[in-house]
Amino acid sequence: MSDQFDQLVALDAEHVMQTYARLPVAFVRGEGTRLYDAEGAEYLDFLGGLAVTSLGHAHPAVADAIAEQARTLLHVSNLYYNAVQPEVGARIDRLLGGGGKVFFANSGAEANEAAIKLARRHGQTNGGPERYHVVSAYGSFHGRTLTTLAATGQPEKQERFQPLPPGFRQVLFADLDALEQSIDDRVCAVMLEPIQGEGGVRPAPPGYLEAVRALCDEQEMLLIVDEVQTGLGRTGKWFGFEHADGVRPDIVTMAKALGNGMPIGACWARTEVAAAFAPGDHATTFGGQPLAASAARAVLDVMIAEDVPARAARAGDRLREQLAAVPGVAAVRGEGLLLAAELEGGIDAKQVAGACLTAGLVVNAVTPTAIRFAPSLLVTDTELDAAVAIFSEVLA
Ligand code: PLP
């Protein structure tokens, strides 16, 4: 490590709350699938800021949109009309099949907060004051605000922040009986990821989301699908729930890839559900401000022009096949370009991710025994092959 890097570490320790166990590198520049550190060393980025930079770093169309908007109007209050927001809303609605409206937030957790508040308003309006409970799954991740943490099915993350807001219960993921047994007339919504991302890249098994949709219809509950990690082409479809047959959620949240690094989140809901929010019910200062909305508009336009779901599906097939053939990999799971390589017994994923970083490949240990791959959806075959070569060398 250079003296400069040591100084940065010391400065960070002195002035920044130590909530992250940071890895020993500071990236200063990016281009497409490549990242560069302060010493000029190059890395292949197969994490994409945790599925954020789906068009790669410094995408010219997104950079131009941001620069142009920054010179024009960064921000207006949501008390006034915003010329860009409805255009982004229209694109999102079209990708989701139409018939819905969008609330703009600044992050995944905030998009989920909006979803939970909306589901409560809808439930209480239609089913009385007690109908505000949300059922989610163990292993899920919905955010770190107190409410989204209450929805997150990871007791070890919740423990230190008790008491959490009431009205949340968790059931085993992919276990329909458990879900059915947890339902009573106080439940207003079921909230699920189509592939549990932070939970280890675990896809819902075939038929599960379809059955949950049917149960929600039968019990008059809303189906909230958290697409913060899986949405916008990542899994080889526009949205992860599209891997299930004919499922249409009532609420869909997204964030990460929507701004390609510009902080923006969105909560889409069917128009009838969206109507449960009246003016004043929910708000945010920055949500959907012109700068973030311009970035999102450019991102969606590039994604549509490039047909990123098709690209992710194709590249994902190639990556999956190659990873499965690497000695030391026991299995590969996930969809499209959200994949996890489960390592053979005894191999420590954290150590492997650390060694990959040293060798110039950015990936992360999504569980103690699995490595997550989530590169740009515009990744080339050459970059895929190069990444797998580094990963194989590290495992060897
Ligand atoms: N929901 C899912 C599925 C996520 O993967 C994440 C973040 O990893 C979140 C919500 C929270 O998003 P944010 O970190 O932008 O608040």
Side-chain angles (χ1 to χ4, degrees):
M1 293 302 139
S2 68
D3 287 351
Q4 211 184 4
F5 184 77
D6 289 343
Q7 278 169 19
L8 174 63
V9 172
L11 215 58
D12 187 273
E14 194 177 348
H15 298 296
V16 179
M17 286 195 200
Q18 298 295 291
T19 63
Y20 302 99
R22 297 194 203 274
L23 289 156
V25 61
F27 299 115
V28 294
R29 189 167 70 81
E31 194 182 335
T33 309
R34 318 247 159 196
L35 279 170
Y36 300 87
D37 67 19
E39 273 88 43
E42 187 181 280
Y43 300 78
L44 273 171
D45 184 7
F46 269 56
L47 189 55
L50 283 168
V52 169
T53 50
S54 284
L55 299 178
H57 296 284
H59 191 284
V62 182
D64 286 350
I66 291 171
E68 172 73 20
Q69 191 61 50
R71 276 192 294 268
T72 308
L73 182 67
L74 277 182
H75 180 82
V76 282
S77 164
N78 278 313
L79 292 175
Y80 307 96
Y81 284 95
N82 168 330
V84 198
Q85 248 182 52
E87 291 195 20
V88 182
R91 284 163 174 74
I92 291 172
D93 189 46
R94 185 146 46 87
L95 294 178
L96 282 161
K101 292 185 183 179
V102 174
F103 176 86
F104 287 102
N106 307 288
S107 65
E110 285 179 65
N112 285 335
E113 283 273 346
I116 292 164
K117 282 180 75 176
L118 182 63
R120 281 191 172 193
R121 282 304 306 131
H122 186 266
Q124 290 179 324
T125 305
N126 295 293
E130 291 305 313
R131 201 167 165 85
Y132 64 87
H133 291 246
V134 172
V135 184
S136 57
Y138 283 116
S140 65
F141 186 79
H142 299 296
R144 298 280 199 157
T145 64
L146 282 177
T147 304
T148 55
L149 185 59
T152 290
Q154 299 191 40
E156 68 283 4
K157 288 192 169 66
Q158 298 176 330
E159 236 160 58
R160 290 161 64 81
F161 297 96
Q162 299 291 354
L164 291 169
F168 293 89
R169 45 184 99 162
Q170 273 95 44
V171 295
L172 273 184
F173 185 52
D175 182 334
L176 193 65
D177 288 344
L179 180 61
E180 274 172 352
Q181 279 164 28
S182 77
I183 303 303
D184 57 40
D185 57 12
R186 295 182 304 161
V187 176
C188 66
V190 176
M191 183 170 190
L192 293 169
E193 296 159 88
I195 298 175
Q196 290 191 332
E198 297 310 296
V201 187
R202 299 183 196 283
Y208 179 64
L209 280 183
E210 292 89 331
V212 175
R213 174 71 274 180
L215 183 65
C216 286
D217 288 342
E218 197 184 292
Q219 301 289 332
E220 293 180 21
M221 304 177 298
L222 299 179
L223 174 59
I224 305 172
V225 177
D226 179 344
E227 295 271 2
V228 167
Q229 187 156 157
T230 48
L232 300 171
R234 170 66 45 197
T235 70
K237 307 256 186 202
W238 279 110
F239 293 95
F241 71 80
E242 293 174 51
H243 291 280
D245 209 14
V247 168
R248 192 168 152 77
D250 301 294
I251 300 178
V252 178
T253 57
M254 65 204 77
K256 293 183 181 287
L258 184 56
N260 206 50
M262 178 64 75
I264 182 168
C267 169
W268 173 96
R270 284 195 297 108
T271 297
E272 180 263 320
V273 175
F277 269 164
D281 276 345
H282 198 46
T284 153
T285 296
F286 293 116
Q289 44 111 279
L291 184 69
S294 289
R297 180 175 56 186
V299 166
L300 293 173
D301 285 347
V302 174
M303 285 185 159
I304 291 164
E306 297 279 352
D307 193 2
V308 288
R311 290 184 68 138
R314 219 170 25 243
D317 284 347
R318 186 184 180 97
L319 182 56
R320 174 193 296 273
E321 203 174 293
Q322 292 194 10
L323 288 175
V326 172
V329 171
V332 183
R333 57 177 181 264
E335 295 282 356
L337 283 174
L338 181 58
L339 297 177
E342 185 67 39
L343 305 175
E344 275 170 6
I347 307 182
D348 178 44
K350 251 198 181 136
Q351 261 184 7
V352 170
C356 284
L357 185 67
T358 307
L361 174 66
V362 181
V363 288
N364 95 315
V366 69
T367 72
T369 56
I371 296 287
R372 169 170 40 189
F373 294 79
S376 158
L377 307 185
L378 305 181
V379 67
T380 64
D381 286 353
T382 314
E383 289 164 342
L384 287 173
D385 300 352
V388 175
I390 296 174
F391 182 59
S392 304
E393 272 167 38
V394 165
L395 277 185

